[in-house]
Every structure is written in structure tokens, then in C-alpha cells.
Amino acid sequence: MHYISTRGGPSAGFGDVLLGGPAADGGLYLPDAWPRIGAAELRSFATLPYAEVAFRVMRPFVAGEFSDAEFRADVDAAYAGFSHKDVVPLVELGPDRFLLELFHGPTLAFKDVAMQLLGRLFARALKKQKRRATVIVATSGDTGSAAIAALRGLPGVDVVVLHPHGRVSEVQRRQMTTVPDANVHNIALEGSFDDTQNIVKTLFADSGFAARAQLTAVNSINFARIMAQCVYYFTAAASLGRTPSFVVPTGNFGDVFAGEAAARMGLPIERLVVATNANDILVRALTPPGIYSAGQAKQTLSPSMDIQVASNFERALFEASQRDSRWLEAAMAAFASTRALDIPPAVFYALQRLYLASSANDDQTRQAIADIRVQFGIVIDPHTAVGFAAVGNLAGRFSGPLVFLATAHPAKFPEAIRQAIGITQESPPKLAGIMSLEERYTVLPNEVGAVRTFVLERTGTS
Ligand SMILES: *Cc1c(COP(=O)(O)O)cnc(C)c1O
């Protein structure tokens, strides 16, 4: 498989896409052509184990880099560590309402689904290339712990994680900072998630520094994450046997773009619902007149979605413009200076054929947690609740079943749950202990120079 950049730069193989972060021209990698999965094969997924579907869906993406035997071994190992036998169980809530539980991995959020595989592929690719790497991660809460869980203790890898100081939940912070492995380095940045993401982008753009520190990325700009996340759209739709819509709590647009990837590979999907919290740049982009303009990030009950600039939206714009990289390069350059982009009508209408968008504020989110508990007897986390609340504004827009992506376990956000329904969640075994373990992290100012020095010192590349 060959990969191209959304901004028209040179193409790359899967090994470079996996280890290289963003493309050299600042764009994001996508396959030069989407592999197709036929209707008979789609139906066959209904009866196969998750790891087998994962292997079949992703195999074309890694062809040329890993053999079938190598890839199968990593896929099997990645999903053997999930605590539910179906890996990502689909639970029926009521007529045409389903919950896709993506939180049975080691850190209790959907990011484990991709990261557990990525860590293994990383180790394998580095070994093949006989080199070390510094994985640098900007996190709004869950990516950091998922990356640490996947990469801790691996030889040849350092993990540097930047989280916005004071803006992730205590459970989220402790999941990152209590990991004792020497290759794990946590930075609490005095800024927002967008600031952490900007610093990471700046470090990658500094090619001298990136080469010296051997920087690589596992953020959702890494195509390997998208590839791993599109699998559960296939398993969920196959087990329903009908054309569903998916409701996707959205921040950086990675997870919902994985749904578009599945659709482009041949999976029938009625609509993808982009559900955001009060940080609603995507809702403004996807409703007329279609203006993508960044404001200030606001803190909400769903911190993993407190994002203004959704990096992966660039991939959707690329596809919706029929892969017009020349237009996109100019549009993204203009956006970088003005923080606003008028989406041309043809691109806007193409996006609207697949996506519907809606936002929910914190009051609506708390209300959804309470309502779902009464209606279905389950407790959902605040991110998942944004999906339920957002769909409340879209009644009558769907003809098929709705699959709600449950992106985190409620025990990760006990304070939000307590506010919504007045009960304290019991911690699952995976979280037991972290509240008393010693934490390790370094508070740094929102300055790229400070982060640069920290990385060089900690990784021994200075
Ligand atoms: C990361 C995250 C999201 C948002 O996913 P994106 O791919 O960034 O859109 C939603 N919910 C939870 C719990 C998350 O950790």
C-alpha cells in the first residue's frame, strides 16, 4: 500500500506512515486508494472473532511492511488483553438503539483499541529498522494513558506526554503519572490542549530537532490509528445486518473519520453523527454556511473533547474535495494565519452527505447521564453522554438503527457522574491502586523551547 499526503507531498510506505508522524509537507497521510471489502465478506464478519475481522480489514494497509504472520501475531496479542471476550461488545439498549462499548482495554477508553496494536507494530518496525524513537504525544486526557500503557518498558522507545496542566480528570492524570517505567516522561503544560498540540506540531516542523530526537507520533494524525479504529464500525454493522448510523463523541475527528474510512471501503453507513461538547467548531463547519473557524477552547465535563482545531478534519476535507491537495494546501495555510476557513459549496455538500453534527452543553450532558440511567439502567461516561444529548436535537433524521459509541468507562470521570446522578462509581480493578501511587510529572511553561530542552535531556539525545 502506498500513502499520499493531503497536501500533495511525496508518497510513503506503511513503515514511514507508522513511525513518521505527519507528512513532511505538514499534511496527513492517507492510502492512495481505499481497499474495498465486498458485500459477502462484510456479511461473513458477523460470525468471526474481533481479532480475525481486524486482521482482514487492516491487512491491505500494512502490506509491504509486515508479513501476514507478523501482523496476525500483533493483532491477536493486542486484543487478547481486553477484558471482554467480544473486545468491543455491541449492547442492545432498546428498539434501534445500541451501545458499542469501546472501553474494555487497559486504560478504559476507546483509544486502547488502536494504541494496543500500535505499540506492538512500533516495536516491530523499530526493530526491523534497528533504531530507537521518541514518541511525543499531546493529550486531552485519554490518548496519553493509552500510549503509555502500550509503550511502557519497550526497549528503544521513550514516551513524552504533554497534558494541559489542571485540565484533565484526576483519574486520567494518575493513569499517566503513576506509571513507574523509566521510558515514560510526563509534562503538565501550562496551557490548553490546543497549546500542547501546537507545541507538538512545531517540534515536528523543526526538522533538525525532529531528526535528532527521532520524533514519532501516535496521535490520531497517525493513520495507523484510523486504520485500527475503522474495524469496530465493520463488526458493529455486520452484527446488526442492517445499515446503521453511528453517533460519535468527537474531538480531534479521528474516530469519526475512521467511520468515513469504513464507508469508503464499502461499509453501508446511513449517517455519521459528529457529537461535540461546547467546543463546537465542527458543528459550525458542518452546518450552513459551513465556516470552520477556531475560537478559544472551553473546559467542559468531557475533557477529551475540549478541542478547537480538529486535526483530522483535514482528511475529511481532502476526500470531500475529491482529493484536491492544491486547494487544501492553500486553504490550510490560510487557516493557519486567519484561524478561519470558508468551506466551498461543493466540498460542504459532499461532507453533508455523510456527516450530521450537533453539540451538547454540560447541562444537557448531565441530563443525558441521568436520563439514560432511568431509561436503560446503565451509567454512561460524560463523553458518551454528549452523543446521546446531541442526538436529541436530531430526531427524525434517521431511518435505520443508531449505534452510540461508548468511548470511555464512567469510572474515569467520577466527579461528572456524581454531579449528574449523585452516586459514586465503584472503581474497576484496573484503576484500583492508582489513587495512592506516587506521581511523576514536570510542569512546564507554554513555550516550545522548554519542551525541546526537556525532550533532549530526558531521552539522552542532547
Ligand atoms: C479522544 C476521545 C474522544 C474523541 O475522539 P477523537 O478521535 O479525538 O474525535 C471521545 N471520547 C473519549 C473518551 C476520548 O478519549
Side-chain angles (χ1 to χ4, degrees):
M1 173 74 74
H2 286 290
Y3 290 83
I4 55 172
S5 163
T6 49
R7 300 196 195 167
S11 66
F14 183 76
D16 294 328
V17 169
L18 177 69
L19 295 176
D25 59 5
L28 305 180
Y29 286 118
L30 280 173
D32 65 350
W34 292 102
R36 295 287 296 184
I37 295 180
E41 189 169 13
L42 283 176
R43 279 193 299 279
S44 77
F45 290 170
T47 53
L48 295 175
Y50 185 82
E52 181 61 32
V53 178
F55 172 75
R56 294 188 191 192
V57 168
M58 291 189 280
R59 187 177 172 216
F61 293 117
V62 306
E65 181 68 22
F66 301 119
S67 71
D68 279 359
E70 289 170 334
F71 188 55
R72 188 181 281 279
D74 287 342
V75 170
D76 285 348
Y79 299 117
F82 279 60
S83 58
H84 193 288
K85 68 174 175 24
D86 295 337
V87 182
V88 292
L90 185 67
V91 178
E92 182 165 8
L93 297 177
D96 276 352
R97 294 285 182 280
F98 297 84
L99 193 69
L100 182 57
E101 293 184 355
L102 302 173
F103 52 70
H104 294 284
T107 71
L108 305 176
F110 86 92
K111 301 214 166 60
D112 289 324
V113 178
M115 213 65 89
Q116 283 294 308
L117 176 63
L118 224 71
R120 289 172 168 84
L121 298 181
F122 247 75
R124 192 180 288 284
L126 287 172
K127 207 168 151 200
K128 278 194 175 181
Q129 300 188 5
K130 298 194 173 56
R131 66 178 187 93
R132 68 163 296 285
T134 302
V135 175
I136 189 155
V137 184
T139 185
S140 55
D142 294 325
T143 307
S145 55
I148 289 169
L151 299 167
R152 60 185 290 187
L154 281 185
V157 182
D158 281 285
V159 198
V160 178
V161 178
L162 292 85
H163 70 266
H165 190 32
R167 299 198 191 190
V168 299
S169 83
E170 183 177 7
V171 173
Q172 287 180 312
R173 190 189 70 238
R174 286 180 167 275
Q175 282 184 305
M176 300 188 278
T177 59
T178 59
V179 174
D181 300 72
N183 71 333
V184 173
H185 316 282
N186 281 288
I187 297 173
L189 190 84
E190 292 175 323
S192 67
F193 170 67
D194 289 298
D195 294 326
T196 64
Q197 196 161 240
N198 272 333
I199 285 189
V200 169
K201 279 184 187 158
T202 308
L203 292 178
F204 272 105
D206 177 349
S207 54
F209 174 79
R212 182 165 163 198
Q214 292 165 292
L215 284 195
T216 65
V218 295
N219 278 90
S220 60
I221 52 174
N222 191 315
F223 181 76
R225 295 240 336 245
I226 309 272
M227 149 188 117
Q229 288 168 12
C230 70
V231 174
Y232 43 74
Y233 289 89
F234 284 98
T235 57
S239 77
L240 289 173
R242 298 161 60 201
T243 300
S245 292
F246 291 91
V247 181
V248 188
T250 295
N252 222 351
F253 212 80
D255 205 13
V256 76
F257 183 78
E260 176 172 346
R264 291 193 179 275
M265 292 166 75
L267 183 69
I269 292 177
E270 185 182 359
R271 281 304 182 84
L272 293 169
V273 178
V274 177
T276 76
N277 60 30
N279 296 289
D280 60 354
I281 176 173
L282 290 162
V283 178
R284 284 178 284 117
L286 292 166
T287 41
I291 297 174
Y292 183 66
S293 73
Q296 281 295 316
K298 301 186 189 88
Q299 272 183 269
T300 72
L301 283 181
S302 44
S304 301
M305 294 154 46
D306 288 348
I307 294 172
Q308 277 296 320
V309 179
S311 305
N312 278 289
F313 192 53
E314 177 167 345
R315 289 189 158 112
L317 289 170
F318 181 65
E319 293 292 358
S321 69
Q322 309 211 25
R323 301 194 151 203
D324 185 348
S325 54
R326 205 178 291 173
W327 163 72
L328 191 58
E329 189 189 12
M332 295 313 293
F335 178 75
S337 60
T338 63
R339 307 266 291 166
L341 187 152
D342 288 337
I343 301 174
V347 177
F348 180 74
Y349 290 118
L351 288 168
Q352 282 214 317
R353 274 201 288 279
L354 185 60
Y355 294 105
L356 263 177
S358 177
S359 69
N361 63 26
D362 278 355
D363 283 340
Q364 293 167 316
T365 303
R366 275 187 287 260
Q367 191 61 48
I369 295 172
D371 290 348
I372 296 303
R373 176 138 182 272
V374 171
Q375 272 182 38
F376 305 119
I378 56 165
V379 178
I380 54 173
D381 99 285
H383 302 79
T384 308
V386 165
F388 281 92
V391 158
N393 306 328
L394 299 170
R397 301 290 290 272
F398 310 100
S399 57
L402 282 179
V403 176
F404 293 86
L405 272 58
T407 51
H409 191 288
K412 287 194 91 163
F413 305 95
E415 178 52 27
I417 303 300
R418 199 193 51 74
Q419 281 182 26
I421 51 178
I423 61 169
T424 308
Q425 279 280 293
E426 213 179 294
S427 274
K430 283 172 193 161
L431 292 182
I434 64 166
M435 298 317 271
S436 56
L437 287 176
E438 192 194 333
E439 293 190 78
R440 289 188 306 138
Y441 63 94
T442 305
V443 180
L444 289 182
N446 181 13
E447 287 162 17
V448 72
V451 176
R452 202 185 273 128
T453 306
F454 178 92
V455 171
L456 292 177
E457 282 176 8
R458 285 300 188 94
T459 61
T461 51
S462 57

